[in-house]
Each structure stands twice: as structure tokens, then as C-alpha cells.
Amino acid sequence: MSFVQSLLFDSSIPIKARQEALDRAFSDPGIPPIQSTSSFWLKDPHVNLAKTQSTDLPTPTDIVIIGSGITGASIARTLLTTGHGRDSPKPRILILEARDVCSGATGRNGGHILETVEEFTELEQSIGLEAAKKVVQFRLSHLDEVLAVAEEYGLVEEAQARKVQFLSVYFDDERWDEAVRCIKRFKECMPTESADWRIFEREIPTEFCLPAARGIIAGPAGALWPYRFVTGILDRLRDRFPDNLQIETNTPVLEINNTGADQHSYSVTTARGSIKARHLIHCTNAHVGHLVPGLRGRIYPIRGQISAQNPGQRFPSQGTKHSWLFNYDRGFDYLTQLPSGSEHDTTNKMMFGGGFAQGKNGGIDDLGISTDSEMSFYTDIHLSGALSVTFGRENWGTVSGPAVEMMWTGNMGFSADGFPWVGRLPRSLTRRGTDANRTEKGHEWVSAGFSGEGMVHAWLCGKALGRMILADDEGLSEQEDLSWFPEQMLVTEERAQASVLPRKVVERASHL
């Protein structure tokens, strides 16, 4: 979604609206509000985890993870199942969630494991060919990794985890020509990884039901029920490691202090009491700037919108075959379809999201919004009417029952330089601690800023961070090798200086 940041330099948008968006990006995003729109994915809360709380908070503990979405689940799994030498016991982990478990971005996204590689040439120009190939390989690895984890934990059926062929559809010549150029370069540079990518242009299969398509890029993708995937993993981890994993919902973190008093130098103040910890991990994505003020303007929130819709009676079920990306002259939409034969009230549902560019002022009014309690009126209009037009009314037919069953919003954490932030946080960003109270063990860490593409970033970012923490604690039984992890995603002082939005709108043709 690189077009999002370009809105800040779009002279057709009132300068007042752009400056207000920048001001929001640098403001405190706060904690997730109690009131929120209702996500379809959360309609059947996990019976054991949704509101789980203990009578007392544990203190001290080894590691506090703030956030119970896909990133927190990946980190917890890595910390509990990886390495551990003879003298390094498994850590005690406490996951804190401000609302019900997995009720943030992961419980509100599209469940779409999608990397189209249609930004390959842009990556190559910005970071070089070899680095671009490494970033793309990292993103592509999520498909097999996530599906393998679903298999490992017996969640394939429950989470409806499946591999599909994505169809990235274009409707105009200019954007289509650019997409083809990019995919051809991808195939030239990464022939093995691109073997399953196809270009449909002159003869688009009629079974795709896309009569207005100028061209289609197709390749491997995946889809799943994200809430069930995460809660299933957390539930199984808690059963397997009852003495090492504790989850506390509806326990927002209000304040953090670094006392430097002992190894458990972090004091975490919550609405239910305080906890002492050695390590503190921020997995709050759009809200990370609340507790890490130095990341404001480096990671900023954006409100996204998604719906659950019923297909037209003529539309063939494609939930186990395809997923979709619809590319317009500005912006895009994304779509997965739930499998047929699943639960009666979910079968064949169309999980349709996007419409950002159709929002007020080209979408910029959603930039910097950190609440999920309201919806964009113009985005609602777009999402509510786009499917029958896109697939063709002759292929769609009438809808039995309500066309739109549910509509909700969620908050994404966008990075100013387009890459996630993963690693140990320096004090320049946390603004906590001094040389006088430094401890040899224990730090603050972060994994956030996935820029709307969490399903091809978050799981392996969490895995990498978990291994960094284990290495820091000398809890690995083998030498750690993170050569597979892109260096552009690491937290560094140099990156913190360079990768930040401007404070004021500047009128110029180029953008970050």
C-alpha cells in the first residue's frame, strides 16, 4: 500500500486535511477502545480464552508480551518450543491484552496470506537486487510456514486453512503494463520462486467471472480464519506449558517504568495491578506509539474496513480455488471466500475489504485513526456495491438474504519506510532508563509496523524476534542464525533517524 503515504504529497487533497493526517500520525494512538465494531471472525468467541483472567497477576515474571494477536502467538510459541540448553529453563511468559483475546487487527483482517510480488521492481530500485530478493523470499515463506503450523496444531479444518490461487485483477492499461513489467522482472531474477506465477491477458478464462478485466496476474496464496488460528495456537500452548504461559485479557497496560533495581527491572502497570518483568515485548502494531513514544511518526495507525457478504446465486463457489485482489486507478480491494460445506452460517461467505482510496479525501481521513469503533461512510458505499459489478451482474445474480451481513473496521500499523520494525528497542525510542539503571539482562523489544500486510510479515517477524530474545538470554542450545531475516526490518538507531514522516506537509512532486 505504498500509495497511502503518497497522499500526503497529493496537491489535489486539501493541505489542511493532509496536515491533520500528519498531526494524527505523530499523536498518541492510545490503547484500544472498549467500544468497537463487530468483526465476523469474532462471532463465536473462543470458549477457553476469550475473556480469560486469573485471580492474581504473576509477579515477577520473565517476559511480558503486550498483544495477543498473530505476532504475540508466534513469539510465545518460539520462546516455548525453540532451543533451550541444559542450563536454560523455559521462560515464564505473560501475555497481556487490553480487550478480549485476539480482538485487535488479527481478529479483524482479511485472513489473506497474499504476496503478489508486484512491487518487486520498486524494491529493487530502493534497496538493491539481492536485498529485494531476500525480502520477497521472506514474504513468500509465510504461506508454507503458516499452513504448516496449522497442520502441526491440528487447526487446518477448524481455521479453514487452505492454499488457493490468487487472481490480481487489473482494469486499466497503465497499471496493467506496470504489473506485467514487474512480474517479468521477478521471473527473470527469481525463476524458482516465480514458477507458479502466470499472466492472463489475451484469453482470460471465462470461469474466472471477470468480464471487465484488462489482465490478471495469478500465483499461490492462502486463506484462513485468523482468529481461530491464533486462539487455537494459544490454547494448545497453554495446555502444553501451563507453568510457563499465562494469558490475561481485558488488562490494558497503562504505564511502564525501568527501575534498574534487579534483573526484573521493568515495572508494568496495568488496570489490574503491577507486574515486574525482565523482558517486555511490544506487539501492539497500530497502538505501539502509545507505550513507545519514539515510534510515533515512524509507525502510525490507519483505519481499514472489511465486510462479510453473501454471494449472488449465480456465482460459483471458489473458496478453495481462488482469492482476489482488485486493482483500480487508485487503491485496491481484497477478497477471500469461505469454503462451501463449512458451518451453515459461514459457507461461501465473501470476506471483502479495502475501499481505502474511496474514503473521504482519497482515504487520507483514515490515516492516523487508531480506533475501530466507527466506519467510513464512503468506504461502506464502495464495499457494499462493488462485487456484483466486478464479477459482472450476469455472473452474480440476486442475493438470497442481506447482501452485506456485517461490516467492521480495524487498525493497521504502517511504517514510514515500508518495512516492519523488529528487534531490541533503544532508549532513544522508549525514553525509559538511563546508564545508571541499566541491567545486563532484560530489554524492551518490538515487532510491529506491517503496513497492512501482516499475514506475510507478522508470523516470521515474531519467530525472528523470539530467537533474538532467546539468544540474548543464552537460551539457545545452538548458535543462532538469522541470516534469513531481512536487515531492513531490524530496529537500529540509524533507521530511527532516517525513517520518519515529515512533521509538516511540504509541497513537492516526489514522496518518501
Side-chain angles (χ1 to χ4, degrees), residues 9 57 70 80 249 280 339 419:
F9 307 99
L57 296 176
I70 190 170
L80 292 172
T249 65
L280 186 59
F419 296 108

Side-chain angles (χ1 to χ4, degrees), residues 452-475:
E453 297 179 312
M455 294 302 289
V456 291
H457 281 130
W459 185 264
L460 287 177
C461 282
K463 181 177 181 178
L465 185 64
R467 296 187 72 91
M468 291 177 201
I469 296 169
L470 288 172
D472 188 74
D473 271 354
E474 299 178 351

